[in-house]
Amino acid sequence: EVQLVESGGGLVQPGGSLRLSCAASGFSFIYYAMTWVRQAPGKGLEWVSGINSAGTITEYAASVKGRFIISRDNAKNTVFLQMNSLRPEDTAVYYCIKSQSLFAISGDRGQGTQVTVSS
């Protein structure tokens, strides 16, 4: 059974940082790309970032490029999202997705972790 468990969210002031983690189990993590998507209140899913299986290729949405960094540790079956210079518009529930594409917004995902950026 595929399991994805996101963590690391919380309340942070504008300009602050958070590091999200997604622990994966139940599948061969090293063979899959992983993506992060988010859903703001009242809105649909938005693709944020993706990373290939080896961790050598990364992609970012224009809205987060230069502020967020995606990475993965294949030895620990974990993918990360380092979020810097956070803005109120980054407020959302963040999900990781197991994928064959760096741009997937659908697929197996976890329960999500809430990120709230507010002063």
Side-chain angles (χ1 to χ4, degrees):
E1 179 188 1
V2 172
Q3 285 198 325
L4 297 164
V5 180
E6 300 94 341
S7 62
L11 173 63
V12 63
Q13 292 187 341
S17 298
L18 284 173
R19 189 191 196 206
L20 306 185
S21 299
C22 170
S25 62
F27 65 99
S28 296
F29 183 74
I30 59 171
Y31 294 130
Y32 288 88
M34 297 293 294
T35 66
W36 285 96
V37 301
R38 64 187 181 186
Q39 187 164 27
K43 296 188 177 181
L45 285 173
E46 177 191 13
W47 174 79
V48 174
S49 183
I51 188 167
N52 71 334
S53 57
T56 55
I57 301 172
T58 58
E59 296 285 350
Y60 299 93
S63 58
V64 307
K65 196 168 187 177
R67 300 188 297 123
F68 291 11
I69 301 171
I70 189 171
S71 62
R72 65 191 292 162
D73 184 340
N74 284 347
K76 295 183 179 179
N77 287 3
T78 303
V79 61
F80 305 97
L81 187 68
Q82 176 67 43
M83 305 189 297
N84 303 318
S85 302
L86 283 161
R87 304 167 180 169
E89 54 264 39
D90 295 317
T91 295
V93 178
Y94 284 72
Y95 303 90
C96 64
I97 292 180
K98 161 184 171 281
S99 173
Q100 297 286 8
S101 165
L102 273 67
F103 302 97
I105 62 169
S106 62
D108 292 303
R109 68 183 192 191
Q111 82 293 342
T113 186
Q114 175 71 49
V115 171
T116 302
V117 185
S118 175
S119 55

